[in-house]
Amino acid sequence: MLLKTSLRNLMAHKGRMMLSLLAVVLSVAFVSGTLVFSATATSTFDKLFASTASDLAVKPAPPTGDDDTGGGGNSGRTLTIPASTLQQVSGLPGVKSARPDVSSQTATLVNPKTNKAAGPTTGAPTLVGSWTPGPRTPMTITSGSAPSGPHQLMLDDETAKKAKLGLGDPIRIIGEQGTFDFTISGIATFTGTNPGAALAFLDLPTAQQDLLGSTDQLTSVDLYGDGSKTNDQLKAEAASTLGSGFQLKTNAEQKADGAKGVGSFLGFMKDVMLGFAGISLLVGIFLIVNTFSMLVAQRTRELGLLRALGGSRAQVNNSVLMEALLLGIIGSTLGMVAGLGIAELLIALMKAAGMTLSGSLEITSSVPIASYTVGILVTLAAAWFPAWRAGKVSPMAALSDHGTPAEGRANKWRIGIGLVLTLIGAGMLAAAATSKKLAQAGSELGFGVLLTLVGLVVVGPLVASVVVRVLGALLPRLFGPAGTLAQRNAMRNPRRTGATAAALMIGLSLVTGASVVSSSLVSSTDAEIDKQVGADYILTTNHGGLTAQMVDALRNTAGIAHATEQREVAATFTLPDGTVLKKQFVTAVSPTYTQDFAFPVASGSTDALAAGGISVDQNFAKDHKVAAGDTITVDYGSGRTEQLPITLVTSTGNTLFDRHFFATLDTVGKAVPLSQQPLDVVAFGRAAAGADKAKTLTALQDALSAYPQVSVQDQAGYKKIVQQQVDGLLTLITGLLMLAIVVAILGVVNTLALSVVERTREIGLLRAIGMSRRQMRRMIRLESVVIALFGALLGIGLGLAWGITSQQVLKGSGLNVLTVPTMTIVYVLIGSGAVGLLAALLPAFRAGRMNVLAAIASG
């Protein structure tokens, strides 16, 4: 009986349920699509690692503090092992074959015809190495032939296609050892997944000489067993034979390392996307609450009749919850299916970025479990309060109801609780802004954000009554009777208006808060550059680090007074009290660094730093109880150790110096030979006195034009790059929040549409006494705009509070300048008004098309 009643009610009001269903579908689809995409990507890479990992890989032991094991990293030098290692391990018991390998991640591929980099631009690596096929080679030659001799190179098909290169075309490698020109002899294709990297192959002697500088070196040796010994036994045998200085990885360890590296990226991506899906689900709750609340109000007489016929409160309550359950099941099912399309879209986006995920979609058990759990629980939770109110309907009160009156004044308890939560949250934000401890301030900020959000949602009806009255004050004067009615309609049901606006408020508050933080970050960076940086030119590279040839080109350009280098050297620190800190980096710089940068000195001096010491920042000194004059033991690995006195303590609150340990190149060079130091991560140039800085910049760009991976900027150009990077991040955040904003817009449409149905008789009477269709549509549109602007004002106000507090919390971490993005706020307000007009199109059209007599008779 209950199920039949619920099914009939759901079908009878299916049109009014459509937007709520769509909100559930969209939110569940985002969750489902994220899980399917993550599982597909993980499975694809697992298969790739399983098909390419050798039984045992012999690699050079990584330097202290560095997890990169031989490829060279972004700016580190390629690590090597002696070529004689191949003979040492190839004859071990249980070894069927051994494959020597050379591979480098520091080289850059260049198309000489265009002088542009031929590798990926999306962060994926460029791998240049030797073509030494083994039993598990992931590529096959599809055209041409394998490289042979010192002038031939084989390229992967995806890179060749993107760079418009083919057989016989010239190609250039710029690496640690210099620049080398080749001719493409062959094209190779992945047999499985293309991980997005650019791959180029040379024959083994050429790879050794051009990439490593010697034919006596390799980067690894891959062993394949004959089955007589386990991989762990092979590892033990090889370790006993080789001794120290090597890193040995079994097949399982190689696959685990690969999965860990990719898994961290995919896991982060999944968590971020699920977080934004959660925001859209939260917004969807308001839409569903409004839908069921209005449906219950419209069905007051029907529910009263059920009570009069013997239905209990529990049965009426359960009938509404049963409708919500059915809505959740249908929405979850459709959302899970739609999620497959989202997963395909994400895979297509990855392919456009250079990473091809092959094979079919991976649908694990977590997909239906998560889809139905999220969809059903969210729908039931949203419908619980309206169902509870439905159960409280009195039979006599319902039967005597001759319409659908608006709800009364919001419950005083609710308003009281909302005000208390909002005030506590505001207090937490204020405490966070004035706190001196970052960890404590972060916790206070988190609780403050949560409490102010919940508080404003709860107190929404009270705020709606006040703000909507102010927002709509001009409507009667500007639009006459239509404006007056629009204002009163928006104020008629404060609870409904507050819930509708709250959905929009959530998305816009996050956008506004992120805009404040991002704008402040750009302004703070600009201020730091103006105050701290004396260098006129900045050299960076998007791949491989800056080689000596690049720095020489900077140093030898006319108009350059001096060049300053900066590199990061991995190390382990031992403090005076015996504390050992692993995975640290010494920032090794030229002595001229103190001329190009104004160090924020807390104690000590820059002159003493140049004489052979190391710097720490104030936070490090405080946390580890060290001071100027104390000595740190710096271990660079492989027995390269030196004792460095702390000669400078830098003030905190500056991103250029915080968490950096500065020492001069000469100081580091006493323990680590230049040939073993990593490449420069950045270099700076100072214009000579009297030099034309603009002409010098042009000359410098010309001098480095042979290196397309190098970016040459003056201070203004560097600021612009920072601005673009921050803007890109903000655009990504806003894009991910668009799902929540779309759901919020659906909420406005839903509220107006159901409100039109609820006010059918009223609309008919207004038309009967002379209101035109045009005035009717205008009234609906103005009501929608007022609700949208109310939500925008709440979102902007809340976002400003969050953003300003975040800036104050991070003030000691480099976010020193507060900037409120005024134009962004203006655009949000204008956009919200446009959203209000858009959301009202269909409800306004429907209201204007109503038959007057039928509408009057509907009550």
Side-chain angles (χ1 to χ4, degrees), residues 514 518 724-738:
S518 61
Q724 291 172 343
Q725 291 174 342
V726 174
D727 286 347
L729 179 60
L730 181 60
T731 300
L732 176 62
I733 294 173
T734 304
L736 290 171
L737 284 171
M738 279 307 297

Side-chain angles (χ1 to χ4, degrees), residues 528 531-532 598 600 651-659 812-814 816:
E528 282 190 8
K531 181 179 179 181
Q532 307 287 350
S651 302
T652 55
N654 191 310
T655 55
L656 295 175
F657 301 97
D658 289 351
R659 294 173 295 279
S813 301
N816 299 311

Side-chain angles (χ1 to χ4, degrees), residues 620-635:
F620 182 90
K622 180 180 179 181
D623 293 342
H624 297 284
K625 296 180 176 57
V626 294
D630 291 339
T631 299
I632 296 178
T633 301
V634 182
D635 183 1

Side-chain angles (χ1 to χ4, degrees), residues 127-198:
L127 304 176
V128 182
S130 59
W131 179 253
T132 50
R136 298 166 194 165
T137 301
M139 304 188 74
T140 182
I141 301 174
T142 51
S143 64
S145 60
S148 177
H151 303 296
Q152 290 189 355
L153 177 148
M154 183 168 66
L155 196 62
D156 75 274
D157 62 328
E158 290 291 336
T159 302
K161 185 188 303 180
K162 291 176 182 177
K164 298 180 180 180
L165 293 170
L167 296 178
D169 285 340
I171 191 167
R172 181 172 298 148
I173 292 178
I174 301 175
E176 301 171 41
Q177 307 302 324
T179 301
F180 307 93
D181 290 311
F182 299 90
T183 300
I184 297 176
S185 65
I187 303 294
T189 302
F190 283 91
T191 55
T193 296
N194 178 355

Side-chain angles (χ1 to χ4, degrees), residues 1-7 9 292 299 303 306-307 311-326 380 383-384 386-392:
M1 179 67 179
L2 181 62
L3 179 60
K4 287 182 179 179
T5 302
S6 299
L7 282 171
N9 284 330
F292 278 95
R299 288 159 51 193
L303 295 173
L306 285 174
R307 291 294 312 281
S312 66
R313 286 187 176 185
Q315 286 177 313
V316 172
N317 186 313
N318 290 337
S319 70
V320 177
L321 289 177
M322 181 63 71
E323 292 178 41
L325 176 62
L326 294 173
L380 287 176
W384 182 87
W388 176 75
R389 292 183 62 225
K392 293 185 67 177

